[in-house]
């Protein structure tokens, strides 16, 4: 440990210093970093103390939440690993203003539960909700299952408490629905992946709690038909549509075996959709079934109980876990306009098969907002050998994404894995502006170096 | 005209140069500016040409939309007045992605109409919608009547096309619902009041079109009772609640006389609320009437036709026009948490009466999101004499706003009228960051100087 790190440690309580080196490796075990100090500050004041010291001594700081990120953004490369997990209080719930103030280390599921207990919905929902943390969700602008109705995390943040790189506190946690007083720094921190400051708390928007959920699994001959179904459901049920997920045949086969659950339908493509309504609407399920039948989706399964609903969702949510049986994959977190999803999947599949004979492509994702998890397996490559082909596979995938007007990073961020590709979706002028913003916020370059922005 | 301005004029088509000096005065006739050139560029390419020239020659540029702003942000102080009104094409409507791409000069009402024609809702709605423009709405992060359900303009922008101060184009108009690729520059431009670049087009979010609207006017004994009604309607009708407006007795008296419409109810306070649903729901009006009756709001008027609905809305929307009969007012565009509105109105009213005997206070606004138009009239002062008291009145109003955790600028922005007060709601560290951002985007300081940021 450097002498300066020893001095920092001496400023903190003993239980704010950790020796849990598991925090240095990301969830996918893709990256293992190093740190001179692993810190678990108790509260915002402690974060300020740490940042003041690190600023004065030019020590790099990597903020970390639940360490569930998929792009290596929370893996440090020396200096301080600042895990926010102990800032886990829900500070306030205000039902009149539909607002909840949570500290950065609150686990998403606990925030959802606290909102529900107060008769409200916090709509962010994603596979890692049992371990990811609010601060990380904000830092990477998380998306998930309900974006088509409620937006991404960016749309759900009313206010932030942030510790700047020099330890200065910026705090706006009053539940104000309208506030236009200069540049929106809150929106700069959202999605900045720990490179501009440390988010320590946030005031989040709440929504009416659904009184009814109707969940359907159905088959489709092609993605175009699934997109038609999306339009149909939207025109019939409007804002009630909360989720509209696409699952490829291969993805369902894997998940069905993994979950030991029979496939609800047999088709080349599958859709899992959910309507919710904050008004008790006993007729909603019947209307949905009728609509599907009338429009030729006769092979639909409408969940008849909460248990059946969870079984259907488990098939969707366990695809990632199930596909691990195929070995190491090259994953893509992409989005294109909804009208281009079918063309992208078809053309990119052809191009990949032609370049890598026998490549296996597992496709699933959030058709309702145009984002896909597009994961590729090279059967001939050994586990570690896969990465030798990563750049070549990515070149093909991203070429097709960009040709369809899409993005190479929909909801997982850039981290360290995609920073060298940022220039494919942002112009030189934009990257220069981002670097200038970075320099303004973090003049000593101590915040999460090596992430997000290219060198 | 400076020689450099003559050279700029020579680069443009004759019809891109205007002599309409009415554009130099703001809607309220509070400010009259001056400009060396009034320009009406035909398209984005022309805006780029103008910006390149102005950048090279260090000529100040003030972007202007419909010139309906209330804070003097679009009034120039020399240089070029850049009116975007001719960039008024709707470039695309994409119903699958629920997105509409409009140029900056599109009038808000035309965007609403184009969306409706495509079977979609563009929900931004405000009194000046017949003349304000989309670019201005974005530049000042407009709010209005539907914020409690759909958010402010910031929440409605999917992508922007922006000309940077040096003429460089940044364009992200693909309808992507998820895209997390570095700092969100789009959100920096939104609410920046023309100080960072020129917004030339935007891709906007669309929503399902309401099939039913139920509109009610009702009386309340006090603001606390109105807040209780808000909670009641929300718990009963959830996301259907689209507007919840508060109108003080004085405001209604003025508007009722101005509109020559009888007052629907007689009470110290009034609420105008609207439920909408994208599903045809013939039972919704009956359920709403029943709910109001059961909860003691027996004196409610439920609009029985579109004509009756418009009559009720006219009473709300003509308050600003009606109050002009009282002379020049000192206006405030404030927001506090909903639970603090009653305390704010009571305490601030007492303080103002004690400092300015006979002061008349017209209160109305968007209770559903906690923002108020709080307008004060000093009966003893002549029209122009009112402004002598402005600072003293503002000191009292803003002191009470801040004591309630509120903001001095909810939905009209800062412009030139409030820039010296920005430091009451943003810390020195935040203002320093904003100035650094400004310097990064606009290193020559040509974009709308004298606005938003304090010197």
């Amino acid at each position: 440990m450097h002498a300066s790190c020893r001095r920092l440690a001496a400023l903190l309580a003993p239980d704010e210093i950790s020796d849990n080196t598991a925090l240095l490796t990301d969830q996918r075990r893709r990256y293992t970093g190093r740190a001179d100090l692993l810190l678990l500050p108790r509260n915002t004041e402690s974060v300020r103390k740490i940042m003041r010291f690190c600023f004065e001594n030019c020590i790099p700081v990597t903020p970390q939440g639940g360490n569930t990120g998929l792009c290596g953004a929370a893996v440090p490369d020396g200096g301080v690993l600042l895990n926010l997990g102990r800032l886990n209080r829900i500070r306030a719930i205000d039902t009149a203003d539909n607002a909840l103030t949570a500290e950065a280390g609150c686990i998403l599921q606990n925030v959802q539960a606290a909102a529900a207990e107060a008769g409200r919905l916090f709509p962010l929902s994603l596979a890692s909700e049992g371990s990811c943390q609010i601060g990380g969700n904000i830092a990477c602008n998380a998306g998930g299952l309900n974006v088509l109705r409620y937006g991404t995390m960016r749309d759900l943040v009313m206010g932030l408490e942030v510790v700047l790189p020099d330890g200065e506190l910026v705090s706006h946690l009053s539940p104000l629905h309208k506030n236009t007083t200069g540049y929106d720094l809150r929106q700069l921190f959202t999605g900045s992946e720990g490179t501009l400051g440390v988010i320590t708390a946030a005031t989040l928007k709440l929504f009416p709690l659904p009184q009814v959920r109707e969940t359907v699994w159905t088959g489709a001959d092609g993605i175009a038909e699934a997109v038609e179904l999306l339009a149909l459901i939207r025109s019939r049920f409007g804002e009630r549509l909360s989720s509209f997920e696409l699952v490829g045949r291969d993805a369902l086969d894997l998940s069905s075996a993994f979950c030991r659950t029979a496939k609800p339908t047999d088709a080349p493509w599958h859709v899992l959709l959910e309507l919710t309504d904050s008004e008790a609407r006993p007729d909603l399920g019947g209307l949905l079934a009728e609509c599907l039948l009338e429009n030729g989706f006769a092979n639909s399964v409408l969940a008849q109980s909460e248990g059946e609903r969870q079984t259907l969702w488990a098939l969707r949510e366990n695809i990632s876990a199930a596909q691990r049986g195929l070995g190491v994959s090259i994953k893509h977190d992409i989005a294109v306009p909804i009208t281009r999803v079918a063309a992208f999947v078809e053309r990119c599949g052809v191009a990949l098969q032609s370049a890598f004979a026998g490549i296996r492509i597992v496709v699933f994702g959030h058709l309702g907002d145009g984002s896909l998890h597009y994961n590729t397996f090279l059967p001939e490559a050994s586990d570690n050998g896969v990465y030798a082909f990563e750049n070549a596979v990515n070149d093909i995938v991203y070429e097709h994404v960009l040709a369809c007007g899409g993005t190479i990073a929909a909801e997982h961020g850039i981290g360290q894995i995609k920073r060298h590709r940022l220039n494919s979706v942002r112009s030189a002028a934009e990257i220069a502006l981002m670097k200038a913003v970075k320099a303004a916020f973090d003049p000593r370059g101590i915040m999460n170096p090596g992430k997000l922005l290219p060198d």
Side-chain angles (χ1 to χ4, degrees), chain A residues 378-445:
Chain A
L378 295 166
E380 312 252 317
S382 69
D383 270 11
N384 287 338
V386 167
Y387 293 126
F389 301 96
E390 188 172 30
N391 252 317
V393 170
N394 288 347
D395 283 345
I396 293 173
V397 172
Y398 295 146
E399 179 197 326
H400 284 84
V401 165
L402 298 175
C404 289
T407 179
I408 65 166
E411 57 178 7
H412 297 165
I414 298 293
Q416 49 185 301
I417 201 168
K418 292 183 189 168
R419 59 194 284 249
H420 64 292
R421 288 192 185 261
L422 192 65
N423 62 4
S424 69
V425 285
R426 297 285 172 192
S427 67
E430 287 174 273
I431 291 175
L433 286 175
M434 289 183 198
K435 287 186 172 180
V437 167
K438 166 77 174 171
F441 279 70
D442 180 23
R444 301 194 178 176

Side-chain angles (χ1 to χ4, degrees), chain A residues 183-379:
Chain A
Y183 307 144
D184 198 327
L185 305 182
R186 163 192 61 158
Q187 293 286 356
L188 263 184
F189 288 111
T190 304
S192 68
E193 304 188 26
T195 62
L196 298 179
V198 184
I199 296 164
T200 50
T203 299
L204 305 168
K205 294 182 194 169
L206 301 179
F207 294 82
L209 194 62
Q211 297 299 314
V212 57
R213 288 179 197 274
E214 297 297 344
T215 309
V216 159
W217 188 287
T218 191
D221 285 338
I223 293 178
E225 197 191 358
V227 171
E228 279 168 32
L229 177 62
L230 173 63
L232 177 75
I233 296 290
R234 269 196 164 134
S235 79
R236 176 67 186 81
F237 297 101
E239 58 271 31
R240 284 161 192 78
L241 181 61
S242 299
S243 298
F244 195 96
E245 299 288 303
L246 180 74
V247 177
R249 172 176 262 157
D250 213 4
L252 178 59
D253 286 345
L254 290 164
S255 182
S256 166
F258 182 87
C259 296
R260 301 177 189 215
T261 303
K263 296 194 283 179
T265 51
D266 186 22
W269 293 92
H270 305 266
V271 167
L272 176 60
L273 70 89
E274 192 161 279
L275 306 182
T276 62
D277 199 310
S278 69
E279 202 182 345
R281 287 283 306 277
D283 60 334
L284 193 62
L287 294 171
L288 175 57
E290 196 178 287
C291 172
L292 289 163
L293 200 60
E294 276 172 9
N295 288 281
F297 291 87
N299 61 347
S300 305
V301 176
L302 179 69
Q304 300 296 323
S305 66
E306 178 60 21
E308 285 185 31
R309 176 180 170 261
Q310 288 182 11
T311 301
L312 295 179
W313 273 107
L315 285 170
R316 161 63 185 85
E317 290 183 344
N318 281 297
I319 298 170
S320 286
Q323 72 183 3
R324 283 186 205 126
L326 298 183
V328 173
S329 68
I330 300 170
K331 291 176 191 283
H332 305 92
D333 156 48
I334 57 163
V336 295
I338 291 167
T339 45
R340 309 298 297 277
V341 172
F344 164 76
V345 170
E346 191 192 325
R347 291 173 198 168
C348 191
V350 169
L352 283 173
Q353 289 294 352
S354 141
F356 303 95
I359 193 170
R360 195 160 168 185
I361 305 169
V362 176
V363 181
F364 59 103
H366 318 290
L367 185 60
D369 60 45
S371 78
L372 288 183
H373 303 295
Y374 189 88
N375 299 333
T376 55
F377 296 84
L378 295 166

Side-chain angles (χ1 to χ4, degrees), chain A residues 57-96:
Chain A
N57 294 277
C58 282
I59 298 171
V61 177
T62 301
Q64 184 181 72
N67 199 19
T68 61
L70 295 166
C71 300
V75 178
D77 182 21
V80 166
L81 177 66
L82 189 68
N83 185 293
L84 279 302
R86 288 181 67 193
L87 278 73
N88 60 2
R89 279 190 315 134
I90 290 179
R91 290 194 196 162
I93 301 182
D94 179 343
T95 53

Side-chain angles (χ1 to χ4, degrees), chain A residues 135-196:
Chain A
N137 295 149
I138 297 169
C140 70
N141 185 24
L145 302 168
N146 295 325
V147 170
L148 86 167
R149 179 162 180 180
Y150 298 100
T152 66
M153 193 61 171
R154 179 179 300 293
D155 301 297
L156 305 175
V157 174
M158 290 177 93
L160 288 181
E161 178 188 271
V162 176
V163 177
L164 297 178
D166 64 0
E168 183 82 31
L169 188 71
V170 172
S171 180
H172 292 284
L173 297 177
S174 194
L176 295 175
H177 301 263
K178 288 177 181 165
N179 185 12
T180 301
T181 47
Y183 307 144
D184 198 327
L185 305 182
R186 163 192 61 158
Q187 293 286 356
L188 263 184
F189 288 111
T190 304
S192 68
E193 304 188 26
T195 62
L196 298 179

